Amino acid sequence: PPLRHQTGINRDTVDNPCMTIGHVVIPPRGRTQRHYHMNCDAAGYIIKGRVKMFWGPDHDMEEFIGEAGDFFYNPRGVIHGLENLSDTEPLEMIGSYCGVSHNKEAGTIFVEPPWE
């Protein structure tokens, strides 16, 4: 997806972590594919911008608007995605996978094709 992700904490940077933490930047109107994680919960904190978050399957999807200062939590197995609502400013947030030591261990499954 159209985003930059810089991991700060994972097994490549510290010994035996039980989580990963990274800085995510999503460009104006950027959007992630809806997806879920088989092996971990995900959580985060919005540093800058406004974001529309999507949770749940198509037939029961909920939306939430988050802003700078808001936290969010996605339990393991729950479909989710997000979109930067700004036409001009990037969205910045801190994201974390809980219970895995590397992003590759999250078991991410995409439920929609890549967004362009």
Side-chain angles (χ1 to χ4, degrees), residues 3-9 21-25 93-95 103:
L3 59 86
R4 285 191 334 251
H5 183 272
Q6 179 184 16
T7 301
I9 296 175
I21 301 175
H23 179 240
V24 179
V25 177
M93 60 186 201
I94 298 297
N103 295 6

Side-chain angles (χ1 to χ4, degrees), residues 11 20 35-42 76-77 80 96-109:
R11 70 171 178 245
T20 69
H35 62 283
Y36 63 95
H37 308 286
M38 293 178 23
N39 302 327
C40 66
D41 296 344
R76 174 189 323 229
H80 60 280
S96 176
Y97 292 151
C98 310
V100 296
S101 65
H102 200 280
N103 295 6
K104 294 176 184 177
E105 297 171 3
T108 303
I109 305 292

Side-chain angles (χ1 to χ4, degrees), residues 33-83:
Q33 294 166 259
R34 290 178 53 236
H35 62 283
Y36 63 95
H37 308 286
M38 293 178 23
N39 302 327
C40 66
D41 296 344
Y45 176 77
I46 302 166
I47 299 170
K48 175 183 169 187
R50 292 183 71 234
V51 61
K52 183 188 295 185
M53 298 182 184
F54 311 93
W55 281 284
D58 289 340
H59 67 278
D60 195 23
M61 190 177 349
E62 296 181 32
E63 294 182 3
F64 170 77
I65 304 299
E67 298 180 343
D70 288 342
F71 291 88
F72 60 90
Y73 174 73
N74 300 308
R76 174 189 323 229
V78 173
I79 297 170
H80 60 280
L82 54 85
E83 177 183 2

